[in-house]
Amino acid sequence: MGTYNYLDTDTIIEQATKMSIPDIFEAEGEDGFRDVEAQVLDTVHAYVRCVISTGGGVVTRIQNWSKLQTGIVVWLDVDPEVIIKRIEGDTNRPLLQADDPLQKLKDLLEDRKEKYAQADVRIEVGEDMDADAAADAVFRSLHDFLDDNPPAYLKAKAKAQAEGLDWVQ
């Protein structure tokens, strides 16, 4: 698939604000964080040949969703119990600093699931999958997606060639 750059919006947010995600939530609240997140996404969404990693809450704002859809959206679908197990002890997730983090995560996933389900590619990440296995599944699924959904110029080229237009090389 060639060489792609990788951008993580949370890392960019922390570098731009010189604050951790929990500090932003504490100082500005979730709405303040989502404002910064939207600004960062607005900056990076038009990059080409780039993989952009976002937090799960990015879909809570409609303008973010429309920016994500300018590319191929991949949903890493992981059971809440697996997520909780993997992030145990991680205090860098302000929305999960609750009395019952598992229930909070289930509630967040339920609220966002309709948007997540609109992703172009869905990868079910099981408990037995490590990061490398998940990445392999993403690459395979993206390859299949691109095979099934070629860019418009490839369709036009194939049509022109089928009609005997030999100027298309």
Side-chain angles (χ1 to χ4, degrees):
M1 293 181 67
T3 304
Y4 284 73
N5 292 313
Y6 174 80
L7 299 173
D8 183 305
T9 56
D10 284 351
T11 300
I12 295 168
I13 289 167
E14 289 182 333
Q15 290 172 347
T17 62
K18 298 187 181 10
M19 296 173 74
S20 69
I21 302 298
D23 289 343
I24 297 168
F25 267 78
E26 187 176 325
E28 305 293 331
E30 184 176 358
D31 283 342
F33 172 77
R34 299 286 174 220
D35 290 342
V36 175
E37 181 180 56
Q39 291 171 10
V40 168
L41 188 59
D42 193 41
T43 302
V44 302
H45 88 277
Y47 284 31
V48 295
R49 300 190 65 77
C50 187
V51 173
I52 300 172
S53 171
T54 68
V58 74
V59 301
T60 61
R61 291 202 174 169
I62 192 80
Q63 69 269 26
N64 291 346
W65 187 240
S66 65
K67 291 171 190 155
L68 290 173
Q69 291 180 313
T70 62
I72 299 171
V73 178
V74 177
W75 169 26
L76 299 178
D77 186 5
V78 187
D79 286 335
E81 291 80 8
V82 174
I83 294 172
I84 289 295
K85 185 176 178 181
R86 289 185 179 184
I87 64 170
E88 188 175 10
D90 182 352
T91 59
N92 206 30
R93 300 177 185 276
L95 293 178
L96 298 182
Q97 303 309 307
D99 291 336
D100 187 350
L102 177 59
Q103 186 57 52
K104 178 65 175 177
L105 181 57
K106 287 179 179 180
D107 293 344
L108 290 170
L109 291 172
E110 186 60 35
D111 291 345
R112 300 169 181 174
K113 196 166 195 154
E114 185 179 325
K115 288 284 190 236
Y116 291 164
Q118 295 176 38
D120 299 300
V121 176
R122 175 180 173 223
I123 307 297
E124 291 185 57
V125 179
E127 186 174 5
D128 59 331
M129 292 177 76
D130 63 9
D132 288 338
D136 287 345
V138 169
F139 289 130
R140 281 191 307 274
S141 294
L142 282 174
H143 185 272
D144 293 344
F145 177 82
L146 292 172
D147 279 351
D148 295 340
N149 301 280
Y153 77 89
L154 289 179
K155 290 180 184 177
K157 180 179 177 182
K159 181 180 178 191
Q161 288 174 330
E163 293 174 358
L165 299 174
D166 59 4
W167 54 269
V168 180
Q169 299 297 321

